[in-house]
Amino acid sequence: MRWWDIEPVLALEQRLFPEDAWSAGMFWSELAYARGADATRRYLVAEDAAPAAAAGPAGRLVGYGGLAAVGGTGDIQTIGVLPGHRGTGLGARLLRALLQAATDFECAEVLLEVRVDNAPAQRLYERFGFVPIGIRRGYYQPTGTDALVMRLADPAVYAAAADTSGDAPANTLPHPHQGTKSHG
């Protein structure tokens, strides 16, 4: 993700998480730590490279995700996938890329929070080896929805593993500007 992706990501954020969407300032702040030798963040976007006629123009943003890494621990900050692209493997591909970023950042573990009422996301994380370790009461505001805290002990194992659910279709590819360890 680069600065020019922030506006399209905000549009997705509003559509996917209308009650607790991130602000532009939050994304700008995260991207400030995604570049250079001391980078501690990795944010990715996925574009629909060859959409169906009804889906809109090629290059339309269909998903995104982000990871923060501090002191050997990664934290999945966000993953969002448009409803029309769910079940295609895109969420798994984004998660795998974030786990690879955690491995690049030399994280020994990865944590995340997921809404307690989001069973499909929980199943995805469990498929990648995440296990529940606690509940954060009222974590998602303003609704006060609880968050399930999950932990993955060895992200390198799952970053390299093949997707057992099938690959995402060729028209759902990660954005070419994903960045590298030293280039965000």
Side-chain angles (χ1 to χ4, degrees):
M1 182 184 303
R2 302 289 194 182
W3 65 266
W4 54 82
D5 294 313
I6 290 176
E7 286 304 316
V9 166
L10 287 172
L12 256 69
E13 184 80 359
Q14 285 294 324
R15 182 171 172 190
L16 298 172
F17 310 110
E19 295 175 338
D20 51 9
W22 283 21
S23 67
M26 292 171 77
F27 280 107
W28 278 104
S29 178
E30 288 296 292
L31 289 182
Y33 293 99
R35 303 218 29 165
D38 297 326
T40 60
R41 305 291 193 272
R42 181 80 46 86
Y43 278 78
L44 310 171
V45 296
E47 292 180 341
D48 195 348
R60 182 179 65 115
L61 201 68
V62 295
Y64 58 96
L67 172 107
V70 178
T73 298
D75 191 354
I76 303 286
Q77 300 291 296
T78 187
I79 293 181
V81 174
L82 278 177
H85 291 269
R86 292 180 187 155
T88 67
L90 177 57
R93 290 176 64 197
L94 285 166
L95 180 56
R96 184 175 296 102
L98 294 174
L99 295 177
Q100 181 59 56
T103 301
D104 294 346
F105 286 129
E106 300 178 355
C107 294
E109 67 177 355
V110 176
L111 302 171
L112 61 80
E113 291 87 11
V114 59
R115 295 175 73 96
V116 295
D117 58 359
N118 190 345
Q122 291 174 32
R123 284 191 299 272
L124 170 67
Y125 300 138
E126 288 169 354
R127 201 172 82 226
F128 274 79
F130 282 86
V131 294
I133 61 169
I135 298 285
R136 290 192 178 181
R137 301 280 177 219
Y139 181 78
Y140 292 99
Q141 295 299 318
T143 62
T145 304
D146 294 344
L148 176 65
V149 181
M150 301 182 83
R151 177 180 179 267
L152 174 64
D154 189 359
V157 170
Y158 289 90
D163 184 359
T164 58
S165 70
D167 291 329
N171 70 336
T172 312
L173 301 173
H175 190 283
H177 298 290
Q178 292 177 13
T180 63
K181 184 174 179 182
S182 62
H183 293 98

